[in-house]
Amino acid sequence: MRIRGKLITLSLILLGLLTQGLWAADPVPSSTTIYVDDTAPGLNNGTSWYHAYRSLQDALQAALPNTVIKVAQGTYSPADANGMSSLDRNATFELKNNVEILGGFAGNGMPFPGERLIWEYDTILDGDLLANDIALDPNNTADDKSLENHATRQDNCYSVVTSTSKNQTAILDGFIIKNGNANDPLAMYDWPYQKVRGGGLFIHKGYPTIKNCVLTLNAAIDAGAALCNYSSEPTIMNCIFVGNFTSGNGAAIYNTAAEPSIISCDFIMNSTDSGYSGGGIYSYDSSPLIDDCLFKNNLAGGSGGAIASEQSWPTVVNCVFIGNSVDWRGDGGAATNSRSDAYFSNCSFYGNYAGVTGGAMLNNFSTVTLNRCTFNGNIADESGGAVHQYASEPNYTNCVFSGNIADDKGGALSINDCEAKIVNCTFYDNNAPMGRGVACHNVYNNVTSFSNVIIHNSILWNDSNNIDIEDGSQLYVLYSDVSGGYPGPGNIGLNPRFANPLGWDQILGTPDDNLRILPSSPCIDAAQNYSVPANITKDRDGSTRFFDDANTPDTGLGLPFDPIVDMGAYEFGSVNPYADTNDVDEAGSSGSHDGGNNGGGNNGGGGLNQTPVANAGPDQLIFASINNTGQTTLDGTSSYDPEGALLNYSWNWSINGTTYMTTGATPVILLPVGMHTINLIVGDGQLISAVDQVLITVIQPLQASLTMFPGSIQRGTCNQIVYGIVNIQQTSLSAIDLSQLLTLFPGNVQAIGQSAYTSGPGTVGIIAQFDKDQITSANLTNGPLGVTVVGKFMTGQYFAGSDQVTIIDCP
């Protein structure tokens, strides 16, 4: 019940404030910012979140150069525009130069509409023009062909997003791109092939920027279901490609005459049809940079379960390939290089499968350089459990092969008609009937071929059948440790003393296999310096390649007073000169996936590994919003490993008996009001730290009193001014953040003006004016309505007051 006596006092206060000109003006949106929200109730002219465009197409049409388009969570169709038919499959979102399109905003109706959390506020660009697609599971390969063929997807647009001749100022950032279907059979020879390629995103010429996007459930009948790069040089960064399918090559990305930079992206469960290649990425006549990417469980029907390169020059660094495969007729479970010049550095291949040859990789008529790579637990049903090469020039340095299996020849490497160099590599317990480590053979009947193979400074251990030659190949083994011994200068046949070859899980061929050497290993300072290529300065861990162990006599070969290199992929006792930075390889690239590093840890190739130290950061005090939930960023960046290894981070905490977990050095989490103990453990791939804890206290909003005036808010054309009067006790004017306009809920209605005053000892009053049409537009039903007004202290804590109004129609 309201007290009428207050109205006179209130009127006098309002009159005084208005005559003094103390109302804070509503800030005018920047002319370079356009807002898009599919639920915006206002004028839909793009000037604010309340008045946002409901269509992204309308915003793009209105965007001038140097514009930022901010898009709220929701679903947007390329056919949602004035005058555009929902049956037009040519509809697409066309990027613009000097226009940055940002998704992931909270939008209208949320406490903070400008808050941007791209992995929480899903902003979807949807090619399903009629919104009638049946649900398909991106993790279910049985659904793959339905992405092209199902009846409900025959009305989907050909390409959800298009970029033609755009430069790097054309930016798309923070979107889910889904349900494009480039399946027009009449356009198979219609240059530039947009209707059969690039169901999610088609890029023709130029070099746009694509960041923080998820491309999923897209299809194409010719190539590049999620993304086609045609004669282009885009930057593709921090994106996820999951569950895309093509009847041709390149289920996630197809490159032709292109030079894309693909950085820190994940490729998961993408697949091609039978006989086609590149479950993740296919490149033809292209030079892609693929840096710090994860390829997991991708499938190709022909070759290259994860990536396939034909007549190309790929650079692949700091990447991890796990569980990729080709079918029973295919080669190269993770990667194929055909007539290509390929470079791989600091990459790890775990548990990939090929139905024919090359469980992890096939090299065919190619020059392939592999430095600091790990191949563990890969399988081929015929030859080359890890890698098969034919008529190629493969070069391996500082590589590790453990637990790979071939049913015929070459448990690790199968070599046919090649010039191959293997320097400072480690082979352990690979399995094949012939050549458990390396097999030189002729895969074609009635054809004469042989290989020249150099194996220097390497370790091949745990079976007498490590090397097999059956085709007259020439093999030169020098300064290597081979089970049972092998003829040649500097060769030995002594136990290399591996640190923990089965790893902590005691399972061969898994990522934690530790083939670093221990003190007193006969492989220390026992190899030949002259065999190491001039550009190789680091071992598999990224530690200095040439290091002298003072406790071991030099038995290898080098110049006087120079450190003698060790046998195998790891240099004992060495240190990583880049321990305080990202792992940088000889090609000059960097990444955070760490390429697996064969279990992590830069502890000098088997020297004493010390336990890493977790530091969960200082205790935190954060403030909850009106939903009694606060957001905070955990900080484990002060954790460290004594040897400088890259760390894995594992956080956990409990709320009401339920345990929550997250990873990463600085994850963002939400916590309810209360006190929370967050636990952090870090690991270097071999050892884990003790638990460190951080205490986070979440403070609820301070309760204030609210009086709304008038108590009845009229819907319609009536002229009416609505005020909210907030009183906050035990505070001062200087403690209130008056730069933040009060916000009324429900509806997320911001004040159009406000002023504060001291209403008594230790009490502050704030009078705010609200647009009554914004209130009624946000609340469509007449009758009683509980409302809450929220503001902020300078400390960041919120205050909130509640009252009840009644919405009625104009008399």
Side-chain angles (χ1 to χ4, degrees):
M1 179 178 181
R2 303 186 182 278
I3 303 175
R4 295 182 179 273
K6 289 185 177 180
L7 298 184
I8 297 175
T9 303
L10 173 61
S11 299
L12 292 174
I13 293 172
L14 294 175
L15 179 61
L17 293 173
L18 289 169
T19 57
Q20 294 175 51
L22 296 178
W23 286 105
D26 188 24
V28 178
S30 167
S31 60
T32 60
T33 301
I34 294 176
Y35 299 89
V36 180
D37 189 326
D38 63 352
T39 65
L43 300 177
N44 304 131
N45 58 14
T47 57
S48 68
W49 287 116
Y50 185 80
H51 295 298
Y53 285 114
R54 288 195 170 190
S55 163
L56 176 57
Q57 286 287 29
D58 291 339
L60 282 167
Q61 291 174 12
L64 299 174
N66 300 314
T67 295
V68 175
I69 301 176
K70 296 184 177 181
V71 189
Q73 59 183 318
T75 300
Y76 302 88
S77 167
D80 288 341
N82 293 327
M84 184 172 288
S85 168
S86 60
L87 296 177
D88 185 1
R89 298 191 66 191
N90 295 298
T92 186
F93 294 111
E94 176 72 36
L95 303 187
K96 284 187 169 183
N97 283 338
N98 296 296
V99 174
E100 186 172 3
I101 311 170
L102 305 179
F105 290 93
N108 184 71
M110 297 294 286
F112 304 99
E115 181 179 47
R116 189 174 189 232
L117 297 172
I118 57 177
W119 306 116
E120 180 173 343
Y121 299 135
D122 291 345
T123 310
I124 302 171
L125 307 182
D126 196 344
D128 181 10
L129 302 181
L130 297 181
N132 65 344
D133 284 5
I134 63 164
L136 296 172
D137 183 358
N139 296 314
N140 182 359
T141 55
D143 282 349
D144 287 347
K145 288 191 178 182
S146 295
L147 292 174
E148 286 181 6
N149 301 329
H150 197 274
T152 62
R153 294 179 58 88
Q154 302 314 302
D155 49 58
N156 292 23
C157 66
Y158 296 118
S159 295
V160 181
V161 180
T162 304
S163 175
T164 302
S165 299
K166 300 302 187 296
N167 62 31
Q168 72 271 21
T169 65
I171 298 173
L172 186 71
D173 182 350
F175 291 88
I176 297 173
I177 303 169
K178 62 187 294 189
N179 294 328
N181 192 10
N183 70 337
D184 184 358
L186 300 179
M188 284 295 291
Y189 305 101
D190 185 11
W191 183 89
Y193 318 111
Q194 182 172 346
K195 295 182 182 181
V196 293
R197 297 178 181 176
L201 176 57
F202 187 89
I203 301 176
H204 181 209
K205 299 183 178 179
Y207 35 101
T209 303
I210 313 298
K211 299 190 294 185
N212 302 312
C213 290
V214 178
L215 292 92
T216 184
L217 297 174
N218 299 289
I221 60 173
D222 183 56
L227 170 60
C228 175
N229 293 314
Y230 187 18
S231 300
S232 59
E233 302 177 30
T235 296
I236 304 160
M237 183 180 297
N238 295 325
C239 292
I240 299 173
F241 298 80
V242 58
N244 302 285
F245 173 80
T246 179
S247 289
N249 297 318
I253 297 178
Y254 179 83
N255 301 312
T256 180
E259 296 184 23
S261 296
I262 304 167
I263 302 169
S264 298
C265 295
D266 291 347
F267 297 81
I268 303 170
M269 293 292 293
N270 304 286
S271 59
T272 75
D273 204 353
S274 178
Y276 292 92
S277 301
I281 300 173
Y282 182 92
S283 299
Y284 177 79
D285 189 27
S286 296
S287 301
L289 168 64
I290 306 170
D291 185 359
D292 189 34
C293 292
L294 170 67
F295 296 85
K296 186 174 182 180
N297 296 342
N298 300 284
L299 171 66
S303 65
I307 59 176
S309 303
E310 183 177 357
Q311 296 183 33
S312 292
W313 303 264
T315 297
V316 185
V317 294
N318 308 312
C319 292
V320 179
F321 300 81
I322 302 176
N324 304 284
S325 60
V326 292
D327 70 16
W328 61 275
R329 295 160 292 187
D331 304 279
T336 60
N337 302 291
S338 180
R339 294 175 171 83
S340 295
D341 189 342
Y343 176 81
F344 290 78
S345 180
N346 195 33
C347 293
S348 294
F349 298 80
Y350 302 130
N352 303 284
Y353 166 79
V356 185
T357 63
M361 182 180 292
L362 168 70
N363 300 317
N364 192 34
F365 291 97
S366 296
T367 299
V368 183
T369 300
L370 297 103
N371 180 39
R372 301 176 54 224
C373 293
T374 297
F375 297 83
N376 287 4
N378 304 284
I379 299 174
D381 280 351
E382 292 189 12
S383 298
V387 186
H388 173 75
Q389 36 262 308
Y390 172 72
S392 295
E393 295 184 15
N395 295 277
Y396 298 89
T397 55
N398 301 316
C399 291
V400 176
F401 301 84
S402 173
N404 302 285
I405 299 173
D407 286 349
D408 189 8
K409 301 178 179 70
L413 300 179
S414 167
I415 300 173
N416 177 218
D417 196 18
C418 293
E419 298 288 330
K421 293 181 181 179
I422 303 165
V423 179
N424 279 107
C425 292
T426 298
F427 298 78
Y428 177 78
D429 210 358
N430 303 284
N431 194 10
M434 290 178 284
R436 293 183 63 154
V438 177
C440 299
H441 61 105
N442 187 354
V443 296
Y444 299 106
N445 294 325
N446 302 318
V447 176
T448 301
S449 66
F450 62 88
S451 301
N452 290 306
V453 181
I454 292 174
I455 301 178
H456 289 184
N457 300 355
S458 296
I459 303 173
L460 298 95
W461 199 254
N462 215 31
D463 194 90
S464 58
N465 179 25
N466 276 292
I467 300 172
D468 181 72
I469 301 175
E470 62 174 39
D471 63 350
S473 291
Q474 299 297 310
L475 187 66
Y476 306 92
V477 181
L478 302 176
Y479 288 89
S480 295
D481 188 5
V482 183
S483 295
Y486 202 89
N491 292 332
I492 59 176
L494 303 174
N495 188 333
R497 290 182 48 78
F498 291 127
N500 190 358
L502 299 184
W504 299 107
D505 63 7
Q506 291 298 291
I507 299 174
L508 178 67
T510 55
D512 69 346
D513 292 0
N514 186 351
L515 296 172
R516 298 166 181 85
I517 51 179
L518 294 171
S520 74
S521 169
C523 299
I524 298 173
D525 297 346
Q528 183 187 63
N529 289 2
Y530 310 116
S531 297
V532 181
N535 65 325
I536 297 300
T537 60
K538 294 181 287 181
D539 72 352
R540 178 61 186 94
D541 272 336
S543 301
T544 300
R545 180 71 265 191
F546 296 91
F547 180 83
D548 181 67
D549 179 42
N551 297 316
T552 303
D554 292 345
T555 58
L557 184 61
L559 291 175
F561 309 111
D562 281 350
I564 301 298
V565 69
D566 294 350
M567 295 176 180
Y570 300 98
E571 188 79 9
F572 175 82
S574 184
V575 294
N576 185 349
Y578 306 99
D580 295 328
T581 65
N582 282 337
D583 188 17
V584 181
D585 68 44
E586 280 77 9
S589 300
S590 65
S592 59
H593 276 304
D594 187 35
N597 266 352
N598 195 34
N602 295 320
N603 63 350
L608 180 61
N609 187 23
Q610 300 181 60
T611 303
V613 178
N615 187 328
D619 293 344
Q620 298 184 40
L621 181 69
I622 63 173
F623 301 107
S625 185
I626 59 170
N627 61 358
N628 286 325
T629 299
Q631 177 177 290
T632 187
T633 300
L634 303 176
D635 185 5
T637 57
S638 294
S639 304
Y640 67 92
D641 182 78
E643 292 78 41
L646 297 176
L647 294 175
N648 301 310
Y649 299 81
S650 176
W651 304 82
N652 69 83
W653 65 97
S654 295
I655 300 174
N656 297 327
T658 300
T659 299
Y660 298 86
M661 300 182 65
T662 190
T663 58
T666 56
V668 177
I669 66 172
L670 297 175
L671 295 171
V673 168
M675 298 177 66
H676 305 277
T677 299
I678 314 294
N679 304 304
L680 171 64
I681 297 174
V682 298
D684 65 0
Q686 303 173 61
L687 302 176
I688 61 173
S689 69
V691 176
D692 192 43
Q693 297 180 330
V694 59
L695 179 65
I696 299 177
T697 304
V698 184
I699 304 297
Q700 66 184 14
L702 182 69
Q703 293 302 307
S705 65
L706 170 67
T707 300
M708 296 296 296
F709 173 76
S712 295
I713 300 176
Q714 298 172 344
R715 186 189 304 278
T717 60
C718 306
N719 292 323
Q720 187 181 37
I721 300 176
V722 177
Y723 301 101
I725 303 97
V726 179
N727 280 285
I728 313 160
Q729 297 182 348
Q730 297 181 342
T731 190
S732 63
L733 278 174
S734 62
I736 307 297
D737 187 355
L738 295 176
S739 69
Q740 302 288 323
L741 294 174
L742 299 188
T743 305
L744 183 143
F745 297 93
N748 192 34
V749 179
Q750 281 196 331
I752 58 176
Q754 67 186 32
S755 187
Y757 58 94
T758 300
S759 60
T763 303
V764 172
I766 303 176
I767 300 176
Q769 181 182 352
F770 297 94
D771 185 324
K772 70 100 177 175
D773 290 330
Q774 290 189 23
I775 298 174
T776 57
S777 295
N779 300 279
L780 302 179
T781 303
N782 288 359
L785 176 68
V787 295
T788 299
V789 169
V790 178
K792 216 171 190 181
F793 291 105
M794 297 298 291
T795 61
Q797 184 179 9
Y798 297 95
F799 58 83
S802 299
D803 196 10
Q804 183 168 294
V805 298
T806 302
I807 297 180
I808 62 174
D809 290 325
C810 285

